[in-house]
């Protein structure tokens, strides 16, 4: 698992370069829908660039990046002449991501992967919950999902207790990890006779 951790100056330079590059990227305005389709608009129309093909963008500050050699209007790509374009769901679907690659939001989302992978490693650890093929034998998605949820809850509880002992010295300091002193609830006995109790089904 790769965790994106670099020196602060290098990260600042990287982030600044990504921000400059993102100004030239199409902006996603909608999607993906259930078919994976997304709608994008020209960066000049989105207010990130100045471009002669989008006269309104020329009112942006002069410090805004400017397209110096725009394509001819008659031969310009569709993204320059339409309000938006639609990208089908099967076009480079594997490489699509929620956040722009390299942006601060992308870095945060990517770094969560190490935590997720580590948690799954704990779940499958042979010395702990050891979830794997053959760990339980039940039929059906519902029963299997319940069993996986039990394994996941046990993993979370074990990790929380380990964290509490490591940082606080005692997991009893966290109410969630302590056993409730309340006695378990029991159903009240049904009283009555043959005339008042419903008959048992055979």
């Amino acid at each position: 698992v790769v965790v994106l951790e670099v020196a602060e100056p290098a990260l600042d330079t990287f982030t600044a370069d990504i921000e400059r590059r993102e100004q030239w990227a199409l902006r996603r305005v909608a999607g993906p829908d259930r078919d994976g389709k997304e709608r994008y608009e020209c960066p000049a129309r989105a207010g990130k660039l100045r471009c002669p093909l989008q006269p309104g963008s020329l009112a942006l500050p002069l410090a805004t990046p400017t397209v110096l050699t725009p394509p001819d209007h008659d031969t310009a790509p569709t993204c320059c002449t339409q309000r938006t374009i639609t990208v089908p769901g099967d076009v480079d679907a594997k490489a699509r991501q929620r956040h722009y690659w390299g942006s601060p939001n992308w870095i945060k989302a990517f770094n969560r992967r190490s935590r997720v992978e580590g948690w799954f490693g704990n779940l499958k650890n042979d010395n702990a919950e050891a979830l794997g093929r053959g760990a339980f034998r039940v039929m059906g998605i519902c029963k299997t999902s319940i069993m996986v949820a039990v394994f996941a809850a046990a993993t979370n509880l074990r990790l929380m207790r380990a964290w509490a002992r490591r940082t606080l010295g005692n997991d009893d300091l966290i109410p969630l990890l302590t056993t409730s002193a309340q006695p378990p609830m029991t159903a009240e006995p049904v009283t009555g006779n043959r005339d008042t109790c419903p008959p048992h089904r055979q």
Side-chain angles (χ1 to χ4, degrees), residues 65-133:
T66 303
V67 179
L68 300 178
T69 56
D72 185 76
H73 187 275
D74 295 332
T75 59
T78 307
C79 64
C80 295
T81 58
Q82 290 187 177
R83 174 69 181 83
T84 62
I85 61 171
T86 299
V87 180
D90 57 352
V91 175
D92 203 20
K94 187 176 181 179
R96 295 189 189 183
Q97 302 184 53
R98 177 180 299 178
H99 304 294
Y100 187 81
W101 186 90
S103 65
N105 287 333
W106 179 88
I107 293 175
K108 291 179 182 178
F110 186 85
N111 281 344
R112 294 192 190 103
R113 180 177 178 180
S114 62
R115 301 296 182 184
V116 173
E117 295 290 349
W119 185 87
F120 276 108
N122 272 282
L123 181 67
K124 299 176 182 179
N125 188 347
D126 291 336
N127 296 320
E129 285 69 35
L131 177 61
R133 185 181 295 274

Side-chain angles (χ1 to χ4, degrees), residues 142-200:
C142 291
K143 294 179 181 179
T144 301
S145 299
I146 291 174
M147 293 302 300
V148 171
V150 171
F151 275 72
T155 301
N156 287 337
L157 188 59
R158 175 174 58 81
L159 293 176
M160 290 172 64
R161 282 176 171 164
W163 174 85
R165 289 192 296 268
R166 185 171 61 252
T167 58
L168 304 176
N170 188 352
D171 57 10
D172 291 336
L173 299 177
I174 301 180
L176 183 63
L177 303 179
T178 59
T179 303
S180 175
Q182 297 293 331
M185 296 181 63
T186 57
E188 295 182 0
V190 178
T191 59
N193 51 39
R194 292 178 180 270
D195 297 329
T196 59
C197 292
H200 293 285

